[in-house]
């Protein structure tokens, strides 16, 4: 295996004290997910290296058992071309949850030069999309371990793979949902394992680098600059964002003094400013619905790239620049999509899905607030959109599965889980719930949900239990039909709503990736 050139060594902070949040994360992944995986993990060092996973129903080989990541430190050196590999160093601080002879990381699109475990060289090899590390000495349960991987990070897409680095007109950005962070850096690539992040990017003069979180210093030397950013809240790997380009960073202040920084291609700054000015008021609107914004900063990364989607990367949402500069999109629609990605900061980022089957909680809520904003600010009735979604819901369920029991993606199309049923089909569940328990109880539920699970992950079962607690009612039968039924139940309060004929052509699914929202609209969103 050819060796990559060394990236500069980063100076890492002392190993953290075992935090209470990490204990919570140890409990988060259920015994049912881990039981079979752990038995495979605790293998003798002489056995063949194999790819592992935590047994996610939709992505069984994502994530790895036996440890809980507390912090990532990522260092990238950008060569000045977005078609050449970046030199990189990834350091992971993790807490072991089993005795480990081997440590598996997810990593599939770069060349590994060396691996150290607790400062000592370790053997490594690849197996499937895993980097399998064999330390000199086994690591016992209940210990801190530090893993340092020197590697390259290739921005040219892998054959048959989607996501990871996005090549823009002037550099790079990231789109790692759902399973593509490990195409960029070695990691435990599953949303159940949140961690703190430090990101360092070195780029030639003339480029600007921005990442999740807040700035933590810059250093200029030898015709290049190194930018450092740190998150102040834990983050899933799929939400990592790094922008490298000939960009301008615009600063403004949001509610409660919240730092808002937007990243735009310098040549389009004037055309984009009027859109960016809307963000503080949009944050205020979301806070009026669900409570205080949950992170240390926010902003929009307007990438000069054609992706077909927008994405809720934590504290720095990814948008296509053309969404704001092409006149084909009505202004009310553009603003509602901005709110969709903003809403994800609460629903999907602060409160993350414990498994990918819980995706409806992310996308249903983001679509709900997108539609509610369009109703309140642009006079687009929520009821009309939900009635249209009700008509299509049976077809969406047949094509993609019920909202909380989605069908697995097709081979080579892992972002295929982002179907209409998880967007408007899941917002429809929330509409039915509001009809069932009433507006006041529903609004209390929304606030309590994001407050109780902030900086953590949660499941569909958690949401069902909280809804019953807030409403004082047994809602098991209601949720069984709405979340898991092959057919859409009758809509409370609207006995006249009927599913449309199966013979009617199926509306196109939202294109592209993920969690943000695709360019095409689902039921009613751009009509």
């Amino acid at each position: 295996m050819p060796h990559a050139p060394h990236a500069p060594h980063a100076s890492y902070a002392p190993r953290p004290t075992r935090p209470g949040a990490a204990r919570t994360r140890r409990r988060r992944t259920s015994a049912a997910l881990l039981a079979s995986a752990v038995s495979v993990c605790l293998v003798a060092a002489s056995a063949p290296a194999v790819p592992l996973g935590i047994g996610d129903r939709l992505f069984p080989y994502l994530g790895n058992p036996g440890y809980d990541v507390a912090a990532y430190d990522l260092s990238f050196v950008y060569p000045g071309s977005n078609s050449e590999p970046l030199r990189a160093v990834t350091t992971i601080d993790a807490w072991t949850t089993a005795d480990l002879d081997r440590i598996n990381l997810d990593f599939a699109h770069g060349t590994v030069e060396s691996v150290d475990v607790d400062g000592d060289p370790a053997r490594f090899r690849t197996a499937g999309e895993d980097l399998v590390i064999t330390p000199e000495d086994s690591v016992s349960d209940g210990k801190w371990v530090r893993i340092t991987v020197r590697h390259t990070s290739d921005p040219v897409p892998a054959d048959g793979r989607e996501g990871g680095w996005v090549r823009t007109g002037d550099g790079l950005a990231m789109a790692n949902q759902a399973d593509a962070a490990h195409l960029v850096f070695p990691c435990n690539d599953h949303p159940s394992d949140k961690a703190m992040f430090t990101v360092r990017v070195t780029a030639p003069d003339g480029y600007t680098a921005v990442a999740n979180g807040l700035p933590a210093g810059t250093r200029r030397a030898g015709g290049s600059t190194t930018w450092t950013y740190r998150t102040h809240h834990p983050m899933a790997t799929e939400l990592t964002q790094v922008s490298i380009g000939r960009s301008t960073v615009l600063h403004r202040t949001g509610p409660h003094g919240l730092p808002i920084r937007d990243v735009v291609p310098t040549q389009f700054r004037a055309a984009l400013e009027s859109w960016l000015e809307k963000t503080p008021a949009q944050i205020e609107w979301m806070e009026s619905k669900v409570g205080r914004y949950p992170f240390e900063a926010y902003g929009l990364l307007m990438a000069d790239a054609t992706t077909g989607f927008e994405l809720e990367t934590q504290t720095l949402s990814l948008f296509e620049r053309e969404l704001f500069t092409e006149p084909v999109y009505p202004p009310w629609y553009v603003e509602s999509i901005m709110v969709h990605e903003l809403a994800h900061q609460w629903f999907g980022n602060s409160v993350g899905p414990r498994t990918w089957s819980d995706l409806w909680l992310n996308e249903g809520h983001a679509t709900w607030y997108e539609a509610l904003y369009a109703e309140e600010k642009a006079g687009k009735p929520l009821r009309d959109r939900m009635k249209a979604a009700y008509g299509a819901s049976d077809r969406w369920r047949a094509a993609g599965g019920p909202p909380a029991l989605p069908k697995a993606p097709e081979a080579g199309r892992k972002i295929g889980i982002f179907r209409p049923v998880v967007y408007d089909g899941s917002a429809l569940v929330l509409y039915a719930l509001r009809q069932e328990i009433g507006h006041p109880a529903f609004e209390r539920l929304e606030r309590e949900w994001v407050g109780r699970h902030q900086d953590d992950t949660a499941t569909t079962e958690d949401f069902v239990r909280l809804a019953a607690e807030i409403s004082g009612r047994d809602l098991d039968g209601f949720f069984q039909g709405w979340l898991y039924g092959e057919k859409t139940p009758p809509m409370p309060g609207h006995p006249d709503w009927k599913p449309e004929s199966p013979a009617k052509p199926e509306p196109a699914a939202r294109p592209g990736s993920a969690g943000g929202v695709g360019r095409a609209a689902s039921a009613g969103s751009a009509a």
Side-chain angles (χ1 to χ4, degrees):
M1 180 180 298
H3 286 177
H6 282 285
H9 293 276
S11 56
Y12 301 111
R15 186 164 308 187
T17 302
R18 177 65 173 161
R23 295 190 194 96
T24 302
R25 288 197 302 273
R26 288 186 67 181
R27 295 192 298 267
R28 283 200 301 247
T29 306
S30 68
L33 281 177
L34 287 176
S36 60
V38 171
S39 66
V40 176
C41 183
L42 306 182
V43 295
S46 58
V50 295
L52 301 178
I54 63 168
D56 188 285
R57 189 180 68 85
L58 297 178
F59 300 104
Y61 287 103
L62 276 186
N64 293 285
Y67 62 89
D68 172 15
V69 178
Y72 291 92
D73 193 307
L74 311 178
S75 292
F76 299 104
V77 177
Y78 182 65
S81 166
N82 63 8
S83 60
E84 299 177 25
L86 290 77
R87 293 175 292 149
V89 177
T90 295
T91 292
I92 297 171
D93 282 320
W95 181 262
T96 61
T97 59
D99 295 332
L100 296 175
D101 293 313
R102 286 197 176 124
I103 303 169
N104 280 45
L105 301 176
D106 300 306
F107 188 52
H109 194 47
T111 300
V112 177
E113 175 193 334
S114 66
V115 178
D116 291 348
V117 175
D118 286 333
D120 296 324
R123 299 189 303 279
F124 61 92
R125 58 164 299 177
T126 58
E129 295 194 354
D130 279 14
L131 173 64
V132 184
I133 300 166
T134 305
E136 187 68 25
D137 299 310
S138 62
V139 183
S140 59
D141 183 11
K143 302 291 184 183
W144 283 110
V145 61
R146 175 168 289 177
I147 307 158
T148 302
V149 184
R150 292 175 176 82
H151 61 97
T152 63
S153 185
D154 194 345
V156 178
D159 291 341
R161 290 304 307 267
E162 302 162 313
W165 288 114
V166 174
R167 294 193 289 173
T168 68
D170 60 350
L172 293 171
M174 280 188 194
N176 293 332
Q177 201 173 57
D179 71 321
H182 70 279
L183 301 182
V184 178
F185 59 95
C187 57
N188 200 33
D189 199 6
H190 192 272
S192 62
D193 193 4
K194 291 185 176 183
M196 306 297 283
F197 278 73
T198 297
V199 180
R200 295 177 176 84
V201 181
T202 301
D205 289 347
Y207 288 89
T208 299
V210 184
N212 312 88
L214 289 174
T218 58
R219 179 172 54 83
R220 294 175 174 81
S224 65
T225 302
T226 299
W227 289 264
T228 301
Y229 292 84
R230 288 193 176 94
T231 65
H232 292 207
H233 297 262
M235 181 170 72
T237 51
E238 50 127 352
L239 301 174
T240 314
Q241 184 57 266
V242 174
S243 165
I244 307 170
R246 299 187 183 278
S247 307
T248 295
V249 182
L250 304 174
H251 297 274
R252 69 195 80 238
T253 301
H256 322 293
L258 178 73
I260 298 176
R261 43 82 175 98
D262 301 302
V263 184
V264 301
T266 299
Q267 62 177 317
F268 296 106
R269 173 179 178 172
L272 297 172
E273 178 66 29
S274 63
W275 291 105
L276 298 170
E277 291 174 347
K278 299 178 184 296
T279 298
Q282 290 172 346
I283 295 173
E284 288 179 353
W285 183 86
M286 275 299 303
E287 289 190 339
S288 75
K289 302 300 181 186
V290 295
R292 190 156 177 157
Y293 178 77
F295 296 121
E296 64 273 18
Y298 188 62
L300 277 61
L301 165 58
M302 295 184 167
D304 192 13
T306 300
T307 60
F309 60 85
E310 328 305 329
L311 188 63
E312 70 270 22
T313 40
Q314 190 161 310
T315 72
L316 187 62
S317 292
L318 174 66
F319 287 84
E320 294 174 281
R321 184 266 305 165
E322 64 185 23
L323 173 65
F324 302 92
T325 56
E326 293 295 327
V328 65
Y329 305 115
W332 73 264
Y333 171 74
V334 176
E335 288 191 51
S336 70
I337 297 306
M338 293 171 70
V339 170
H340 181 110
E341 304 308 327
L342 173 62
H344 268 308
Q345 303 301 315
W346 285 265
F347 300 95
N349 295 12
S350 179
V351 184
R354 196 166 304 170
T355 76
W356 279 111
S357 295
D358 301 311
L359 175 65
W360 80 274
L361 288 164
N362 302 14
E363 297 303 342
H365 276 102
T367 304
W368 173 261
Y369 288 103
E370 165 198 333
L372 194 61
Y373 185 87
E375 177 178 66
E376 293 188 10
K377 301 296 185 179
K380 304 295 180 180
L382 175 67
R383 180 184 178 278
D384 292 353
R385 179 166 175 172
M386 292 298 98
K387 185 177 181 180
Y390 189 87
S393 179
D394 278 1
R395 295 197 311 277
W396 290 343
R397 288 172 184 242
L405 196 65
K407 293 181 180 180
E410 298 175 5
R413 283 283 300 169
K414 292 186 176 180
I415 61 172
I417 61 173
F418 295 93
R419 306 176 178 104
V421 73
V422 304
Y423 289 94
D424 281 63
S426 296
L428 186 67
V429 176
L430 299 175
Y431 183 82
L433 178 61
R434 193 178 73 169
Q435 291 288 105
E436 181 74 13
I437 67 175
H439 288 229
F442 180 82
E443 290 167 4
R444 289 197 304 273
L445 168 63
E446 294 290 275
R447 287 177 174 270
E448 184 67 19
W449 175 252
V450 296
R452 186 173 298 191
H453 298 288
Q454 183 174 359
D455 289 338
D456 207 338
T457 64
T459 66
T460 297
E461 292 75 17
D462 293 326
F463 188 79
V464 170
R465 283 193 296 269
L466 184 60
E469 175 188 325
I470 295 294
S471 67
R473 294 179 49 191
D474 181 352
L475 296 170
D476 287 351
F478 170 88
F479 280 116
Q480 183 62 37
W482 278 98
L483 292 176
Y484 301 102
E486 293 183 5
K487 298 293 185 180
T488 312
M491 176 59 71
H494 295 293
D496 57 314
W497 287 13
K498 304 296 181 185
E500 294 170 357
S501 168
K504 187 171 181 177
E506 175 66 28
R510 296 174 187 263
S513 182
V517 61
R519 175 66 63 247
S522 64
S525 63

